[in-house]
């Protein structure tokens, strides 16, 4: 597959993580964190599998990135995620001082970046840039999952 930008390449890596979640019966949300052009952390939803509300793709990837960087400050890192971050994840992203978030599908019910709220634009000790990319591809995976869930069909990622 050919990508138009390096950002599309990394969001496609996040989509691969989302497909791992899909196979486990989790909401198909995936995340990668990039430092100096290299993926340093990956994550996908494990909330249902582990019965832990904090195990969103972003939270898992943030924990791994902090461990890899040996710091809670990720100011030279960019985060790519297939769904607009929720309030919890957006707050953690701000606290970690992530430089830029690239997200796919909008989350009209719980998105904290542009849909329900704009946490990144509020006055904080750190400002996070955000870019919305490849929303159709990311949204298709989510729609497929929830359609299958409603009709009780077995999960099978695209």
């Amino acid at each position: 597959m050919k990508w138009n930008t390096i950002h599309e390449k990394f969001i496609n890596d996040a989509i691969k993580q989302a497909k791992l979640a899909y196979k486990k019966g989790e909401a198909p949300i995936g995340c990668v964190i990039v430092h100096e052009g290299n993926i340093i952390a990956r994550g996908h939803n494990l909330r249902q599998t582990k019965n832990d509300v904090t195990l969103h793709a972003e939270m898992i990837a943030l924990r791994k990135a902090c461990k890899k960087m040996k710091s809670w400050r990720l100011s030279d890192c960019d985060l790519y995620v297939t769904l607009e971050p929720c309030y919890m994840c957006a707050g953690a992203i701000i606290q970690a001082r992530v430089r830029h978030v690239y997200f796919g599908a909008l989350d009209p019910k719980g998105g904290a970046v542009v849909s329900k709220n704009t946490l990144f634009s509020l006055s904080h000790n750190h400002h996070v840039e955000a870019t919305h990319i490849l929303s159709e591809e990311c949204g298709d995976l989510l729609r497929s999952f929830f359609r299958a869930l409603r009709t009780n069909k077995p999960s099978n990622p695209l």
Side-chain angles (χ1 to χ4, degrees), residues 23-41:
K23 288 178 184 177
K24 294 176 181 175
E26 294 277 354
I29 303 164
C31 179
V32 298
I33 298 178
V34 175
H35 179 257
E36 296 180 351
N38 297 304
I39 295 174
I40 60 164

Side-chain angles (χ1 to χ4, degrees), residues 73-92:
R73 289 181 184 93
L74 301 175
S75 55
D76 294 331
C77 296
D78 298 321
L79 184 145
Y80 295 81
V81 64
T82 57
L83 181 66
E84 177 184 358
C86 70
Y87 288 84
M88 173 181 68
C89 295

Side-chain angles (χ1 to χ4, degrees), residues 11-32:
I11 200 79
N12 273 289
D13 288 324
I15 290 170
K16 288 177 188 172
Q17 288 297 306
K19 288 180 179 180
L20 293 174
Y22 196 129
K23 288 178 184 177
K24 294 176 181 175
E26 294 277 354
I29 303 164
C31 179
V32 298

Side-chain angles (χ1 to χ4, degrees), residues 29 45-47 52-60 62-63 79 84-96 107 110-113 117 119-120:
I29 303 164
N45 268 19
L46 290 173
R47 194 168 62 162
D52 184 336
V53 69
T54 68
L55 293 182
H56 289 199
E58 301 97 310
M59 299 299 285
I60 292 167
L62 284 166
R63 286 183 184 116
L79 184 145
E84 177 184 358
C86 70
Y87 288 84
M88 173 181 68
C89 295
I93 289 164
I94 293 166
Q95 290 298 315
D107 184 357
V113 178
N117 208 319
L119 291 186
F120 292 169

